[in-house]
Amino acid sequence: MIFKYKTNPPLNPMSVKKGDQCPTFTLKNSAGEAISISNYIGKKKLVIYFYPKDNTYGCTKQACSFRDSYVDFVETGAEVFGISSDSVDSHKAFARSNNLSFQLLSDPKGKVRKQFGVPSDLFGLIPGRVTYIVDKKGVIQGVFNSQLDPKKHSSEALRVLKSLE
């Protein structure tokens, strides 16, 4: 029997998908402030991306690609949020060392990750890397799932955002 490794594992059947309403949540940012996503719905488009861990090779590449395109996201009327289970202090150091211009949110117990149904990769050992693109009405307009191509998350998110204009 031959097993093939999939670069894009299927999303959990309970996952949030295109056409679903974005789940609402409140998490702390790298400054320790409570950020409620419901305060942005109706005002801005959103890019919410889940990533495994601060200061790792792939996650740093992903964060820096969002940073490098941040002006493009702002021009489409979108706000970007990165979410992992790392602590507020870890996010603060990660954002500072990489000069990140968007907010990182701390989900220490993985509650929001579960709320979105973000799958784990590598036999459940690595938290998944999934990006959700949300329109101003709070409807998911795109989902991109790729553990192995972290830089592509920002370009895919921009592609979807531009298609909404």
Side-chain angles (χ1 to χ4, degrees), residues 75-138:
E75 286 175 356
T76 67
E79 190 58 57
V80 177
F81 297 93
I83 301 175
S84 80
S85 63
D86 292 302
S87 70
V88 167
D89 288 339
S90 176
H91 282 340
K92 187 176 188 174
F94 184 55
R96 187 180 309 126
S97 68
N98 292 289
N99 199 27
L100 302 181
S101 44
F102 55 88
Q103 297 196 64
L104 298 178
L105 305 178
S106 180
D107 185 22
K109 295 182 179 167
K111 184 178 172 186
V112 175
R113 183 178 286 276
K114 287 179 190 146
Q115 197 177 357
F116 274 76
V118 177
S120 294
D121 292 334
L122 196 63
F123 308 108
L125 298 174
I126 299 173
R129 183 186 312 277
V130 181
T131 298
Y132 298 87
I133 300 88
V134 184
D135 67 17
K136 277 178 109 173
K137 295 177 184 171

Side-chain angles (χ1 to χ4, degrees), residues 40-61:
Y40 292 86
I41 294 174
K43 297 174 186 160
K44 290 188 169 261
K45 299 172 203 165
L46 305 173
V47 175
I48 301 169
Y49 80 90
F50 291 86
Y51 66 100
K53 187 151 182 61
D54 290 343
N55 297 308
T56 57
Y57 179 76
C59 296
T60 300
K61 286 181 79 138

